[in-house]
Amino acid sequence: MSTLRDLAEEHTQLRPADIDHLHRIAGDWQLLSDLSFADLLLWVPVDGDGTFLCVAQVRPTTAPTAYLDDQVGRIVGGPEVAHLEVAYRQGRIWREGDPVWYGDVPARHEAIPVRLRTADGEAGEVVAVVGRDTNLSTARTPSQLELNYLTTADDLAQMIADGTFPPPRHPGETTSAPRVGDGLVRLDANGKVTYASPNAQSAYRRLGYASHLVGEDLAKLHRRLASDPLEGTDAANGVLAALRGEAPPRREIDARGATMLTRSLPLMPAGVPIGALVLVRDITEVRRRDRALITKDATIREIHHRVKNNLQTVAALLRLQARRVAMPEARVALEESVRRVASIALVHETLSMSSDEAVEFDGIVDRVASAATEVAATEVSVGMRRKGSFGVLPAEIATSLVMVLNELLLNAVEHGFPPAGEDDAVPVPEGGAAPVPEGGVKPEVVVTAHRFRKQLHVSVADNGRGLPAEFDAERGGRLGLQIVRALATGELRGSIELRNGAEGGTEAVLVVPLARGGDRQPT
């Protein structure tokens, strides 16, 4: 299904600013639909040929829909759109006419012209029409709540025709807001409550106000109820701003352990301020869960921080022990253990600064690669480079993968580039890589990563001397390669292949499946 913008750009001559305004209406018109107990359809004229195209539709949550089928993308003309033509040409709300039938459903048509105000605040031309179609199959005498809903809906409809609704969205403000059914309060021009829905009354009762809201000055009430005076002042100023014709950002009020979200909207049909509409929602449980999650996240980060500290302590103890060991083989083994422990600590250090159990892995790889060139037991200066992105990885993958990469990088640096004069010490397989010539290409290790079909493909390639002819990756190998194979096929549930590169050197190719909980694609 095409989007509103796609349909408008394909079938109409509307300007980008016009389409943006239609997007804002479609993003905020669930409020009008629920207050109207009616379906809203956004119609745009098709190149002035007397036909109209439906580019958006919303159904009410407070009443049955008039349309069981989706109307978006439908092009109509002739007598069926006469009411739309009147609203579009004359720039007024159309409410005349008899009910029409859609199958077995009788419906009442209304048409609301959509204007976009000019830069100097003047009412601009009509760019579209909102069809307000009400299902009449359940018509009955409206209650006080329904009458207030309908009255407010008519005021907002007139504001759409004036070009003053919906209000502009504040920077950084999300689309989440109280709905009509959460709680509705209507104010007169003096800020006094003229109507409060039962749910709104219940929300204020949670804040500690047990009396009826009707007749109360809502701005003053917010100041009295809020636990934080500054918060109460902000909420009160939001109500006063709406009474002045402005659209303030959403506010929260905390009192007596409860939290309420408020949204204040000006009511100014035909440009005349007549009061304000305040939507409220009790979000106490939502905020309690948020606080619990924040506490849990802080605890998890603290655990990772302590694990990192403990691993660094273990690495320090192993380093001290290595200095006291006389046997060179034992000293080398301990130093390798220090590097392995330090690489795991690096993951936990990153997790301790993250808000979830996932890490941006590129930075970790870069740090491990830099450390590998600094601590490797070799006299050759080796460059290190990364191509592609690992993206965000869950902790269970990151911990094992960093150990695998640490071993592969150290192995490439230490064994791929022997000191001068040692090239003949290790035989080169027939057709394999030749030793790096003196004064030739600078020794380099390249780490490449990309994602394909829910798999992470990683290669660690060097331009060194290549693998010896008798090398058997499955049977032989040092402890580091045994660790690599065990982690790659076990913890990571992937595969690892060591081979001579097509253009020389050695290449380790690792494939890791990512189809497990918590993985996210790179952003």
Side-chain angles (χ1 to χ4, degrees):
M1 175 60 67
S2 299
T3 64
L4 185 159
R5 186 176 299 276
D6 293 336
L7 290 169
E9 290 178 347
E10 181 180 354
H11 296 279
T12 74
Q13 300 297 322
L14 291 175
R15 300 164 300 179
D18 299 332
I19 298 175
D20 289 341
H21 184 63
L22 299 185
H23 265 293
R24 285 179 34 234
I25 288 178
D28 223 351
W29 67 349
Q30 185 69 60
L31 168 65
L32 179 59
S33 178
D34 290 343
L35 289 171
S36 302
F37 305 99
D39 291 76
L40 300 184
L41 283 73
L42 186 56
W43 298 94
V44 294
V46 180
D47 296 333
D49 61 359
T51 60
F52 285 82
L53 166 69
C54 181
V55 295
Q57 175 185 6
V58 63
R59 295 181 173 89
T61 61
T62 52
T65 181
Y67 301 97
L68 296 178
D69 298 327
D70 190 10
Q71 302 296 302
V72 175
R74 183 174 172 227
I75 299 178
V76 295
E80 191 175 353
V81 297
H83 62 300
L84 303 178
E85 188 73 24
V86 171
Y88 182 73
R89 299 297 178 189
Q90 300 181 14
R92 66 178 180 87
I93 297 178
W94 186 93
R95 291 194 175 98
E96 306 88 36
D98 298 325
V100 296
W101 290 80
Y102 294 100
D104 298 331
V105 179
R108 181 178 65 248
H109 272 333
E110 296 178 64
I112 306 165
V114 176
R115 279 190 176 88
L116 174 62
R117 299 189 78 80
T118 62
D120 56 4
E122 297 296 325
E125 61 183 10
V126 177
V127 297
V129 178
V130 172
R132 183 164 61 168
D133 302 338
T134 306
N135 186 333
L136 299 177
S137 61
T138 58
R140 55 184 174 82
T141 302
S143 64
Q144 184 185 11
L145 178 144
E146 292 168 334
L147 286 174
N148 277 277
Y149 276 18
L150 292 170
T151 301
T152 305
D154 288 342
D155 293 335
L156 294 179
Q158 183 59 56
M159 292 172 65
I160 288 180
D162 299 336
T164 57
F165 184 87
R169 185 168 297 158
H170 294 270
E173 192 170 49
T174 63
T175 56
S176 62
R179 299 166 296 181
V180 169
D182 294 326
L184 178 145
V185 179
R186 185 175 173 117
L187 309 180
D188 62 17
N190 296 318
K192 299 293 182 65
V193 177
T194 60
Y195 176 76
S197 70
N199 283 345
Q201 190 72 56
S202 297
Y204 277 92
R205 188 171 291 115
R206 291 290 300 274
L207 295 179
Y209 185 76
S211 302
H212 289 291
L213 286 168
V214 175
E216 279 288 337
D217 186 314
L218 197 65
K220 294 180 179 178
L221 180 61
H222 284 177
R223 284 195 180 95
R224 296 202 308 267
L225 290 177
S227 302
D228 184 345
L230 181 59
E231 187 179 83
T233 299
D234 287 343
N237 289 340
V239 173
L240 297 175
L243 293 172
R244 294 193 301 268
E246 304 170 11
R250 297 158 178 80
R251 307 288 188 185
E252 290 186 12
I253 302 176
D254 289 292
R256 297 169 62 101
T259 306
M260 185 175 71
L261 176 65
T262 69
R263 184 191 185 191
S264 301
L265 292 169
L267 294 177
M268 43 187 305
V272 179
I274 63 171
L277 174 67
V278 181
L279 299 173
V280 301
R281 180 197 295 169
D282 181 2
I283 58 171
T284 303
E285 295 305 318
V286 174
R287 287 296 172 260
R288 284 180 179 173
R289 288 195 295 270
D290 288 346
R291 287 191 288 269
L293 287 174
I294 291 173
T295 302
K296 179 181 177 181
D297 289 343
T299 302
I300 292 174
R301 288 197 298 271
E302 178 61 22
I303 290 173
H304 283 300
H305 181 71
R306 294 188 181 187
V307 170
K308 182 263 296 185
N309 288 344
N310 290 339
L311 289 172
Q312 289 179 337
T313 301
V314 171
L317 292 174
L318 290 173
R319 192 176 295 110
L320 289 174
Q321 187 65 43
R323 293 171 182 171
R324 294 174 177 270
V325 172
M327 296 178 59
E329 296 84 355
R331 185 182 304 110
V332 170
L334 288 172
E335 289 174 349
E336 289 179 351
S337 298
V338 168
R339 292 194 290 268
R340 289 165 185 147
V341 172
S343 66
I344 301 175
L346 185 59
V347 175
H348 286 280
E349 180 182 7
T350 305
L351 287 169
S352 70
M353 297 181 290
S354 174
S355 60
D356 55 19
E357 286 294 285
V359 294
E360 285 282 357
F361 201 71
D362 290 347
I364 293 177
V365 173
D366 294 343
R367 292 174 65 180
V368 169
S370 177
T373 60
E374 293 175 2
V375 303
T378 179
E379 301 174 2
V380 181
S381 176
V382 181
M384 199 72 66
R385 182 162 54 94
R386 173 174 56 83
K387 294 172 57 179
S389 174
F390 288 81
V392 179
L393 295 177
E396 62 267 24
I397 291 180
T399 303
S400 299
L401 184 57
V402 73
M403 285 196 66
V404 170
L405 291 176
N406 181 62
E407 297 296 337
L408 292 175
L409 289 168
L410 283 172
N411 190 69
V413 173
E414 292 183 347
H415 303 289
F417 307 99
E422 292 187 11
D423 288 335
D424 295 334
V426 179
V428 179
E430 184 177 355
V436 179
E438 184 177 353
V441 179
K442 179 182 178 180
E444 184 181 48
V445 178
V446 180
V447 181
T448 305
H450 72 277
R451 298 189 180 210
F452 179 71
R453 293 181 179 177
K454 295 184 178 181
Q455 291 180 330
L456 177 64
H457 293 251
V458 182
S459 73
V460 178
D462 63 63
N463 58 355
R465 62 183 176 181
L467 296 172
E470 70 276 8
F471 179 79
D472 187 344
E474 297 298 326
R475 297 181 181 180
R478 296 159 54 88
L479 175 61
L481 291 181
Q482 294 176 15
I483 292 174
V484 167
R485 287 197 299 270
L487 291 175
T489 59
E491 295 295 324
L492 295 175
R493 297 181 295 178
S495 62
I496 180 74
E497 179 185 2
L498 295 173
R499 63 195 183 196
N500 283 304
E503 299 180 359
T506 305
E507 184 179 22
V509 180
L510 176 66
V511 179
V512 180
L514 296 176
R516 59 178 75 182
D519 177 57
R520 297 203 306 265
Q521 294 298 319
T523 56

